[in-house]
Amino acid sequence: MFYGIDIGGTKTEIVAFDDEMQIRWRKRVATPVQDYELFLSTFSSLIDTADWATGAQGKIGIGMPGLMDRHTGELLSSNVPCLTGRRIVDDLIDRVSRPIAVDNDCCCFALSEAHTQQARQYPRIFGAIIGTGLGGGLVIDGQLYRGRNRMACEFGHLPLAAQFARRYQLAELACGCGLSGCVERYLSGPGLLGLHRHFSGKTVTMDALWEGYRQQEPQSVATITAWVDMLGGTLAQLQLILDVDAFVLGGGVSNVEAIYSLLPQAMTRYLFPGLEPAKILPAVHGATSGVRGAALLQAEPYALQS
């Protein structure tokens, strides 16, 4: 058994996969975000329950937001504050007495989606999550590329291109990461709704915004057109640097069907003449991809091809 665990700021989910990466058991609990000892005990209880339910001692892979210091192993986590400054991997291993693999949740998403029938033909896959935040992971020939500080592909914290700021008269917004002008503030789900307030002065839901776009309501069209332009330009920058074969999109905004025809057109405007944009693909495993990718951190090579 392989246990994939997704630790978020609201919930923690564990899914048990067999060696063919089929789901055999799952459970979801609230994440203790302020009490570290409660967090550790909740985690160990989940593993005990999973072992009992599956009749096995599964191998454990964890996906979570945040950055881990490559020298000390200490975590920086804004979503789960009690983990900040903690050597979480060592402490969890002490509790469950078995090896644990941990990676960023966006990297786990990318790893999962790179190992699907859809993506098998593409050796270079960039998984991009467009949801509450904006993050990504790069998989080359089936393996995650992590980089020197294990923070490769944090593209949500690239600065918004000056041409976009001028074109759409956008202020430089402070970001929770400590920087300012990060593309996450404009291109994530909340960023998209913020753009609509900027253009129209109105606060709407995501569903209402996209319905307005489908009905060709002028203010909704203006917002979506600008957002697609900026997101397409950002993906084009990534392609110019990485030259990936395909982008696989996850997160809530990725469920909007229209973006899969709009984004390649937008990307083309920012690529060299004659250069074909990378494929833009929807996630195969959807909301399950994060935990699946976490499980794959521990899986054998044959399982990675399922």
Side-chain angles (χ1 to χ4, degrees):
M1 285 291 170
F2 301 96
Y3 299 161
I5 302 174
D6 178 25
I7 298 174
T10 302
K11 54 84 180 174
T12 293
E13 182 176 27
I14 180 171
V15 179
F17 297 86
D18 63 20
D19 59 5
E20 295 183 349
M21 297 311 295
Q22 299 300 307
I23 295 174
R24 296 306 180 194
W25 179 83
R26 69 195 313 158
K27 184 177 178 66
R28 180 181 293 186
V29 298
T31 302
V33 297
Q34 300 294 344
D35 187 328
Y36 188 58
E37 281 303 316
L38 180 58
F39 176 90
L40 293 176
S41 62
T42 299
F43 182 90
S44 60
S45 177
L46 272 178
I47 299 303
D48 288 343
T49 304
D51 289 348
W52 176 83
T54 62
Q57 280 203 337
K59 296 181 178 180
I60 302 170
I62 301 174
M64 66 172 72
L67 299 175
M68 187 173 293
D69 189 299
R70 69 189 183 98
H71 299 294
T72 67
E74 294 178 354
L75 192 70
L76 172 63
S77 175
S78 58
N79 289 35
V80 188
C82 72
L83 303 186
T84 293
R86 304 286 190 171
R87 298 179 64 177
I88 180 67
V89 176
D90 291 343
D91 290 342
L92 291 178
I93 288 174
D94 286 344
R95 291 295 181 111
V96 300
S97 303
R98 73 191 77 167
I100 294 175
V102 177
D103 221 309
N104 180 270
D105 54 342
C106 296
C107 290
C108 291
F109 166 80
L111 183 63
S112 173
E113 290 300 323
H115 291 287
T116 61
Q117 186 65 39
Q118 168 183 256
R120 188 172 296 174
Q121 60 186 304
Y122 304 118
R124 294 166 295 272
I125 293 289
F126 192 105
I129 293 182
I130 309 170
T132 304
L134 203 69
L138 175 63
V139 179
I140 302 174
D141 294 329
Q143 299 298 313
L144 273 170
Y145 175 78
R146 294 176 173 87
R148 180 173 181 267
N149 293 296
R150 296 179 65 88
M151 58 173 295
C153 304
E154 284 282 357
F155 80 105
H157 301 285
L158 294 173
L160 184 71
Q163 62 178 311
F164 294 138
R166 289 194 302 268
R167 184 177 302 161
Y168 300 115
Q169 299 182 324
L170 297 171
E172 187 174 301
L173 302 176
C175 182
C177 72
L179 302 174
S180 61
C182 296
V183 293
E184 180 175 283
R185 288 301 313 274
Y186 310 91
L187 303 182
S188 64
L192 173 54
L193 296 180
L195 282 177
H196 191 64
R197 288 192 297 272
H198 170 73
F199 288 122
S200 70
K202 299 176 182 177
T203 298
V204 299
T205 65
M206 189 67 72
D207 288 343
L209 175 59
W210 281 101
E211 181 59 28
Y213 176 79
R214 284 188 287 269
Q215 298 296 329
Q216 292 295 288
E217 187 275 316
Q219 291 177 330
S220 297
V221 170
T223 297
I224 298 300
T225 299
W227 178 78
V228 168
D229 182 36
M230 290 188 286
L231 180 57
T234 301
L235 295 181
Q237 290 179 56
L238 293 173
Q239 186 170 354
L240 288 171
I241 296 169
L242 302 172
D243 199 19
V244 297
D245 299 292
F247 292 96
V248 181
L249 306 186
V253 181
S254 71
N255 295 323
V256 179
E257 186 176 349
I259 66 176
Y260 296 96
S261 59
L262 294 172
L263 281 173
Q265 301 170 35
M267 290 175 65
T268 300
R269 294 197 290 272
Y270 300 100
L271 296 172
F272 299 138
L275 188 63
E276 182 182 0
K279 302 292 184 184
I280 307 290
L281 304 172
V284 171
H285 291 282
T288 305
S289 226
V291 287
R292 183 175 182 268
L296 288 174
L297 294 173
Q298 289 277 26
E300 298 296 329
Y302 69 86
L304 292 177
Q305 299 304 316
S306 63

